[in-house]
Amino acid sequence: MHILLVALLAAALSSLMTLMLGVVLYTRYIRPGMERRLHDLHQEIGRLVETRVRKAIAEALHDTSAADVLRDRTWQVARSGADMVNESINALLGRKKRDTPTD
């Protein structure tokens, strides 16, 4: 019975040490890299959103000659926004980008 207790205690201490080592490795190496990647993605998405919004507004203002054109531009802006959200989610989830032609 005494040997069984020693074996269980050794297993528990081994598990605890492994868990502590995992926490230290995560906090020192993995988490800072993930935060840096998230910050870089945030900056990239911000620049992309700004560029696309400026382009869509400039095109919409340039072609406001008819209601149909304005409706089409509004649809393009909404589609661009949906594409940006989709790309952002894919980037955060680590999925690869698909090469899609832009209008």
Side-chain angles (χ1 to χ4, degrees), residues 6-68:
V6 170
L8 288 175
L9 184 61
L13 288 174
S14 174
S15 296
L16 182 63
M17 287 174 50
T18 303
L19 179 64
M20 289 173 49
L21 180 64
V23 167
V24 168
L25 289 175
Y26 173 77
T27 56
R28 286 193 177 230
Y29 300 107
I30 297 171
R31 185 175 178 177
M34 291 174 64
E35 287 177 353
R36 190 170 36 254
R37 180 174 176 223
L38 182 63
H39 182 266
D40 293 345
L41 287 172
H42 178 72
Q43 294 296 323
E44 182 181 338
I45 290 168
R47 286 190 299 270
L48 181 65
V49 167
E50 182 180 356
T51 302
R52 286 190 180 180
V53 167
R54 286 180 187 268
K55 181 180 175 185
I57 289 174
E59 288 176 358
L61 291 176
H62 180 70
D63 294 334
T64 56
S65 59
D68 292 336

Side-chain angles (χ1 to χ4, degrees), residues 49 52 75-88:
V49 167
R52 286 190 180 180
W75 177 253
Q76 286 177 349
V77 169
R79 188 175 57 204
S80 294
D83 290 343
M84 287 185 284
V85 169
N86 189 25
E87 289 173 9
S88 302

